[in-house]
Amino acid sequence: MILAANLKCNHTRASFEQYAKALEEGLAGGISREDEILVFPPASAFCARVKNFTQGAQNFYPAAHGSFTGEIGGDMLAEFDVKTVLIGHSERRAILGESAELIREKFSFAAARGWRIVFCVGEDEAAFAQNCSEEFVAAQLEGIDLKYRNLILAYEPVWAIGTGRSAQCEQIEKMLRSLRTKSSAPLLYGGSVNAENIAKICAIKGCDGVLVGTASWDASKFLELIRVVSHRYTSLP
Ligand code: PGA
């Protein structure tokens, strides 16, 4: 399983240092070789070195450097050895106004560097209500190289993110099945994943892991989630 923590705009440099330390210690006993932990902290909190998990970037501008006020370029990520990135998260699409064109540019930039891309897709409430989730997601995938070797796809319905209202297993399975017809990339689900529902979600056919927001912001809670799905995870009592 792939367990990814999206810390969003939470954690200072000081608090993420504690978070990373707790995670490093918690994972030191080892997890199953089939499991992988990705953590996306705010860029201001990147740690210089991490061992037991992979550090990724929530955002970047598709340039190594340049006149892009407020943005972070490839050179800045390289300084922290960050080669894993989130692209297409609904909060960046909706709140920050990222267009499909910018998202495609970010994808091409990251793919040209061989970075691991966690590409997020998911329908909004209206499309879900109209039973148009598949069409909505298909449109988000237009122009995206679904054969890219270092790709992970995350299905995250907008209405399930941060609402405490996770999608039903049938909906998740249906959407993962649809994504599977388009790509052989690992498929994640995200949207109100928590300690109560993670086992059920990870047991869904075709589900290769989860992208967790709220329930990952506390390191001990994220370790709890990891423990539920990683069979060889031994270091917690
Ligand atoms: P959530 O966020 O777990 O708080 O719903 C998920 C995400 O935004 O990736």
PDB file of all heavy atoms in Angstrom, residues 2 5 51 70 77 84 88 103 137 143 159 164-165 194 208 212 235:
ATOM      1  N   ILE A   2       0.357   2.298  -0.622  1.00  0.00           N
ATOM      2  CA  ILE A   2       1.016   3.599  -0.561  1.00  0.00           C
ATOM      3  C   ILE A   2       0.187   4.458   0.387  1.00  0.00           C
ATOM      4  O   ILE A   2      -1.028   4.599   0.201  1.00  0.00           O
ATOM      5  CB  ILE A   2       1.073   4.259  -1.956  1.00  0.00           C
ATOM      6  CG1 ILE A   2       1.938   3.409  -2.903  1.00  0.00           C
ATOM      7  CG2 ILE A   2       1.598   5.690  -1.858  1.00  0.00           C
ATOM      8  CD1 ILE A   2       1.847   3.835  -4.357  1.00  0.00           C
ATOM      9  N   ALA A   5       0.592  11.391   3.092  1.00  0.00           N
ATOM     10  CA  ALA A   5       0.061  12.393   4.025  1.00  0.00           C
ATOM     11  C   ALA A   5       0.183  13.770   3.391  1.00  0.00           C
ATOM     12  O   ALA A   5       1.290  14.225   3.085  1.00  0.00           O
ATOM     13  CB  ALA A   5       0.850  12.354   5.329  1.00  0.00           C
ATOM     14  N   LYS A  51      14.697   9.411   6.206  1.00  0.00           N
ATOM     15  CA  LYS A  51      15.149   8.067   5.865  1.00  0.00           C
ATOM     16  C   LYS A  51      13.999   7.088   5.616  1.00  0.00           C
ATOM     17  O   LYS A  51      13.982   6.382   4.629  1.00  0.00           O
ATOM     18  CB  LYS A  51      16.026   7.557   7.017  1.00  0.00           C
ATOM     19  CG  LYS A  51      17.077   6.553   6.554  1.00  0.00           C
ATOM     20  CD  LYS A  51      18.064   6.229   7.660  1.00  0.00           C
ATOM     21  CE  LYS A  51      17.532   5.095   8.485  1.00  0.00           C
ATOM     22  NZ  LYS A  51      17.867   4.989   9.847  1.00  0.00           N
ATOM     23  N   GLY A  70       6.674  34.391  -5.454  1.00  0.00           N
ATOM     24  CA  GLY A  70       5.942  33.550  -4.505  1.00  0.00           C
ATOM     25  C   GLY A  70       6.010  32.071  -4.798  1.00  0.00           C
ATOM     26  O   GLY A  70       5.497  31.259  -4.026  1.00  0.00           O
ATOM     27  N   LEU A  77      13.518  22.673  -4.990  1.00  0.00           N
ATOM     28  CA  LEU A  77      13.160  21.316  -4.558  1.00  0.00           C
ATOM     29  C   LEU A  77      14.395  20.426  -4.540  1.00  0.00           C
ATOM     30  O   LEU A  77      14.578  19.598  -3.645  1.00  0.00           O
ATOM     31  CB  LEU A  77      12.090  20.707  -5.476  1.00  0.00           C
ATOM     32  CG  LEU A  77      10.730  21.405  -5.496  1.00  0.00           C
ATOM     33  CD1 LEU A  77       9.714  20.552  -6.258  1.00  0.00           C
ATOM     34  CD2 LEU A  77      10.220  21.670  -4.095  1.00  0.00           C
ATOM     35  N   THR A  84       9.338  14.073  -5.543  1.00  0.00           N
ATOM     36  CA  THR A  84       7.964  13.566  -5.532  1.00  0.00           C
ATOM     37  C   THR A  84       7.053  14.772  -5.389  1.00  0.00           C
ATOM     38  O   THR A  84       7.294  15.618  -4.518  1.00  0.00           O
ATOM     39  CB  THR A  84       7.769  12.607  -4.336  1.00  0.00           C
ATOM     40  OG1 THR A  84       8.671  11.511  -4.486  1.00  0.00           O
ATOM     41  CG2 THR A  84       6.348  12.074  -4.266  1.00  0.00           C
ATOM     42  N   GLY A  88      -2.467  18.791  -9.324  1.00  0.00           N
ATOM     43  CA  GLY A  88      -3.899  18.702  -9.613  1.00  0.00           C
ATOM     44  C   GLY A  88      -4.796  18.605  -8.390  1.00  0.00           C
ATOM     45  O   GLY A  88      -5.991  18.311  -8.519  1.00  0.00           O
ATOM     46  N   ILE A 103      -1.700  22.962 -15.066  1.00  0.00           N
ATOM     47  CA  ILE A 103      -1.550  21.611 -14.517  1.00  0.00           C
ATOM     48  C   ILE A 103      -0.810  20.717 -15.509  1.00  0.00           C
ATOM     49  O   ILE A 103       0.088  19.958 -15.147  1.00  0.00           O
ATOM     50  CB  ILE A 103      -2.946  21.049 -14.121  1.00  0.00           C
ATOM     51  CG1 ILE A 103      -3.424  21.777 -12.853  1.00  0.00           C
ATOM     52  CG2 ILE A 103      -2.905  19.538 -13.918  1.00  0.00           C
ATOM     53  CD1 ILE A 103      -4.856  21.519 -12.473  1.00  0.00           C
ATOM     54  N   VAL A 137     -13.842  13.218 -14.449  1.00  0.00           N
ATOM     55  CA  VAL A 137     -12.449  12.801 -14.243  1.00  0.00           C
ATOM     56  C   VAL A 137     -11.736  12.595 -15.583  1.00  0.00           C
ATOM     57  O   VAL A 137     -10.564  12.958 -15.738  1.00  0.00           O
ATOM     58  CB  VAL A 137     -12.420  11.531 -13.353  1.00  0.00           C
ATOM     59  CG1 VAL A 137     -11.058  10.859 -13.399  1.00  0.00           C
ATOM     60  CG2 VAL A 137     -12.789  11.903 -11.916  1.00  0.00           C
ATOM     61  N   GLY A 143      -4.748  15.251 -21.934  1.00  0.00           N
ATOM     62  CA  GLY A 143      -3.417  15.847 -22.100  1.00  0.00           C
ATOM     63  C   GLY A 143      -2.402  15.378 -21.073  1.00  0.00           C
ATOM     64  O   GLY A 143      -1.269  15.854 -21.053  1.00  0.00           O
ATOM     65  N   TRP A 159     -16.125  16.670  -2.962  1.00  0.00           N
ATOM     66  CA  TRP A 159     -17.112  16.731  -1.882  1.00  0.00           C
ATOM     67  C   TRP A 159     -16.731  15.855  -0.670  1.00  0.00           C
ATOM     68  O   TRP A 159     -17.336  15.970   0.391  1.00  0.00           O
ATOM     69  CB  TRP A 159     -18.495  16.307  -2.417  1.00  0.00           C
ATOM     70  CG  TRP A 159     -18.462  15.034  -3.211  1.00  0.00           C
ATOM     71  CD1 TRP A 159     -18.268  14.917  -4.561  1.00  0.00           C
ATOM     72  CD2 TRP A 159     -18.592  13.702  -2.714  1.00  0.00           C
ATOM     73  NE1 TRP A 159     -18.271  13.596  -4.931  1.00  0.00           N
ATOM     74  CE2 TRP A 159     -18.475  12.829  -3.815  1.00  0.00           C
ATOM     75  CE3 TRP A 159     -18.816  13.154  -1.442  1.00  0.00           C
ATOM     76  CZ2 TRP A 159     -18.554  11.435  -3.691  1.00  0.00           C
ATOM     77  CZ3 TRP A 159     -18.902  11.769  -1.311  1.00  0.00           C
ATOM     78  CH2 TRP A 159     -18.776  10.937  -2.427  1.00  0.00           C
ATOM     79  N   GLY A 164     -15.361  14.945   6.253  1.00  0.00           N
ATOM     80  CA  GLY A 164     -15.720  13.847   7.143  1.00  0.00           C
ATOM     81  C   GLY A 164     -16.680  12.882   6.459  1.00  0.00           C
ATOM     82  O   GLY A 164     -17.194  11.948   7.076  1.00  0.00           O
ATOM     83  N   ARG A 165     -16.914  13.116   5.163  1.00  0.00           N
ATOM     84  CA  ARG A 165     -17.881  12.305   4.421  1.00  0.00           C
ATOM     85  C   ARG A 165     -17.139  11.593   3.282  1.00  0.00           C
ATOM     86  O   ARG A 165     -17.075  12.083   2.165  1.00  0.00           O
ATOM     87  CB  ARG A 165     -18.933  13.268   3.864  1.00  0.00           C
ATOM     88  CG  ARG A 165     -20.058  12.668   3.120  1.00  0.00           C
ATOM     89  CD  ARG A 165     -20.984  13.795   2.653  1.00  0.00           C
ATOM     90  NE  ARG A 165     -21.604  13.441   1.385  1.00  0.00           N
ATOM     91  CZ  ARG A 165     -21.796  14.288   0.390  1.00  0.00           C
ATOM     92  NH1 ARG A 165     -21.427  15.563   0.493  1.00  0.00           N
ATOM     93  NH2 ARG A 165     -22.359  13.882  -0.735  1.00  0.00           N
ATOM     94  N   ASN A 194      -9.870   8.006   7.412  1.00  0.00           N
ATOM     95  CA  ASN A 194      -9.529   8.101   8.839  1.00  0.00           C
ATOM     96  C   ASN A 194      -9.345   6.702   9.426  1.00  0.00           C
ATOM     97  O   ASN A 194      -9.434   5.700   8.704  1.00  0.00           O
ATOM     98  CB  ASN A 194     -10.615   8.891   9.593  1.00  0.00           C
ATOM     99  CG  ASN A 194     -11.984   8.258   9.422  1.00  0.00           C
ATOM    100  OD1 ASN A 194     -12.130   7.038   9.434  1.00  0.00           O
ATOM    101  ND2 ASN A 194     -13.000   9.092   9.241  1.00  0.00           N
ATOM    102  N   ASP A 208      -4.696   0.869  -4.318  1.00  0.00           N
ATOM    103  CA  ASP A 208      -3.282   0.654  -3.987  1.00  0.00           C
ATOM    104  C   ASP A 208      -2.818   1.533  -2.833  1.00  0.00           C
ATOM    105  O   ASP A 208      -1.630   1.551  -2.514  1.00  0.00           O
ATOM    106  CB  ASP A 208      -2.408   0.942  -5.219  1.00  0.00           C
ATOM    107  CG  ASP A 208      -2.756   0.022  -6.386  1.00  0.00           C
ATOM    108  OD1 ASP A 208      -2.717  -1.204  -6.192  1.00  0.00           O
ATOM    109  OD2 ASP A 208      -3.086   0.529  -7.475  1.00  0.00           O
ATOM    110  N   VAL A 212      -4.099  10.977   2.465  1.00  0.00           N
ATOM    111  CA  VAL A 212      -4.802  11.401   3.674  1.00  0.00           C
ATOM    112  C   VAL A 212      -4.469  12.855   4.010  1.00  0.00           C
ATOM    113  O   VAL A 212      -3.298  13.232   4.017  1.00  0.00           O
ATOM    114  CB  VAL A 212      -4.384  10.518   4.878  1.00  0.00           C
ATOM    115  CG1 VAL A 212      -5.287  10.804   6.083  1.00  0.00           C
ATOM    116  CG2 VAL A 212      -4.419   9.042   4.521  1.00  0.00           C
ATOM    117  N   SER A 235       6.630  -1.633  15.147  1.00  0.00           N
ATOM    118  CA  SER A 235       7.249  -0.824  16.207  1.00  0.00           C
ATOM    119  C   SER A 235       6.279  -0.109  17.144  1.00  0.00           C
ATOM    120  O   SER A 235       6.707   0.462  18.120  1.00  0.00           O
ATOM    121  CB  SER A 235       8.211   0.185  15.580  1.00  0.00           C
ATOM    122  OG  SER A 235       7.522   0.932  14.643  1.00  0.00           O
TER     123      SER A 235
END
